[in-house]
Amino acid sequence: MAAGSQKHVVELFIRYVEQVFKRYAGRVTRWFVFNEPIVVQTRVYLDALRWPYEQNTHKWMQWNHHKNLATARVVKLFRAAGYAGRIGTILNPEVTYPRSSAPHDQKAAHIYDLFYNRVFLDPAIKGEYPAELLALLDKHQIEWETTPEELAIIAANTVDEVGLNLYYPHRVKAPSRAWHPETPFHPAWYYEHFELPGRRMNPSRGWEIQPEIIWDMAQRMRDEYGNIPWFVAESGMGIENEAQFKNADGGDSGRLPHRVYQRAPASGDTRQSGGD
């Protein structure tokens, strides 16, 4: 999708939001513009896992920008109309850990965080893209369009609160081989995934179980993002064929040992450390 047509989609989205606000503003006081805005374009254009199966980092970054712009424009619309309540967005930060304390692994985790987390966290909360991310995009000649007016809108319309979807940790290490010269740029230029030996696993999804990601993300929200109001929007144990865990009354207590008893202490501790 060309940049121009994406901007047209942003305009259509704003028109849709205007109607939603008019219809529900009297009943809804907490609004969220997107849920996991990074996912679709990452699967479609960055990793080419879905139709049209086109690996194109340029389009991926353009989609990211237009979703950040759409978020800011909805926030602006909400405040200009004087609606009661708060407005935010729901993100799925990949809580990232380096394989080791070695500088090359630390760098891999830092850059992974720039591309997959801060690309949405920073515009939504701080009103700007990280300078390091912009420098990397420029270094690798990633072509994406923006204007000073769009960046000004993002800067002036940050969110009131953030929902975070936290399921499992992401572990990376420095690349062990050179990038093929004929392969277009992908953030994996700077990292490889790493599997921690002895990790606890959710075999249904292939996800590592690490409740501490909630604690670690809470510290980050406190220390790096001004302790903006935030909450865990999604977490727990994602499994396939969930019907096997349902009780006769429709409940799913078979998942409780992981969903509650392991996650709750990690989330509860955040309050004691000054997290919101």
Side-chain angles (χ1 to χ4, degrees):
M1 183 181 294
S5 62
Q6 284 194 42
K7 287 186 180 181
H8 176 60
V9 173
V10 173
E11 297 302 326
L12 294 176
F13 181 66
I14 297 302
R15 288 169 57 186
Y16 163 76
V17 171
E18 288 175 341
Q19 298 307 310
V20 173
F21 279 159
K22 289 178 181 178
R23 177 167 294 189
Y24 297 107
R27 289 179 280 173
V28 177
T29 57
R30 294 181 71 189
W31 297 86
F32 299 93
V33 183
F34 288 109
N35 180 59
E36 301 191 355
I38 197 172
V39 170
V40 173
Q41 64 270 24
T42 298
R43 294 182 177 176
V44 171
Y45 286 120
L46 190 64
D47 296 332
L49 298 175
R50 295 181 179 176
W51 187 89
Y53 305 105
E54 174 188 354
Q55 199 292 311
N56 190 318
T57 305
H58 311 282
K59 289 185 179 181
W60 173 76
M61 189 58 206
Q62 193 69 67
W63 275 55
N64 291 338
H65 172 64
H66 282 134
K67 287 186 176 181
N68 282 321
L69 176 62
T71 299
R73 287 193 56 185
V74 171
V75 172
K76 181 180 180 180
L77 176 65
F78 177 82
R79 291 177 180 154
Y83 294 123
R86 297 185 293 181
I87 188 163
T89 192
I90 298 178
L91 305 177
N92 56 314
E94 301 184 357
V95 184
T96 308
Y97 302 95
R99 171 183 60 177
S100 73
S101 60
H104 51 281
D105 286 337
Q106 297 283 324
K107 178 181 178 181
H110 178 72
I111 294 180
Y112 187 96
D113 181 60
L114 284 171
F115 277 103
Y116 294 102
N117 296 331
R118 293 185 64 189
V119 68
F120 277 98
L121 280 167
D122 282 35
I125 301 172
K126 297 182 177 181
E128 61 183 5
Y129 291 103
E132 289 179 89
L133 175 62
L134 296 178
L136 288 169
L137 294 169
D138 184 62
K139 174 183 176 180
H140 293 282
Q141 300 179 330
I142 299 304
E143 299 174 0
W144 58 297
E145 297 178 10
T146 185
T147 67
E149 292 77 16
E150 291 171 352
L151 295 178
I153 291 172
I154 291 173
N157 297 280
T158 54
V159 298
D160 297 322
E161 64 176 326
V162 178
L164 301 177
N165 297 344
L166 302 169
Y167 284 101
Y168 57 96
H170 294 258
R171 302 184 187 275
V172 297
K173 61 180 181 178
S176 58
R177 57 186 63 85
W179 194 259
H180 194 287
E182 296 182 6
T183 301
F185 175 74
H186 182 288
W189 174 293
Y190 290 101
Y191 69 86
E192 292 178 5
H193 290 287
F194 171 68
E195 294 184 352
L196 181 69
R199 64 198 182 282
R200 289 185 297 165
M201 290 295 295
N202 168 10
S204 180
R205 294 289 186 186
W207 294 349
E208 179 182 345
I209 298 173
Q210 171 101 352
E212 290 77 12
I213 63 173
I214 296 178
W215 164 269
D216 291 338
M217 194 65 203
Q219 306 312 295
R220 185 173 195 187
M221 296 303 290
R222 182 193 65 189
D223 298 338
E224 298 180 30
Y225 292 99
N227 215 17
I228 183 176
W230 68 276
F231 63 97
V232 177
E234 295 180 20
S235 187
M237 182 179 180
I239 65 165
E240 297 178 351
N241 190 22
E242 293 187 354
Q244 65 181 306
F245 289 99
K246 285 189 176 180
N247 306 330
D249 61 359
D252 62 347
S253 59
R255 299 199 297 169
L256 286 178
H258 175 66
R259 289 174 58 198
V260 177
Y261 301 121
Q262 293 186 33
R263 296 272 175 165
S267 57
D269 288 345
T270 65
R271 289 288 185 182
Q272 299 178 23
S273 65
D276 253 349

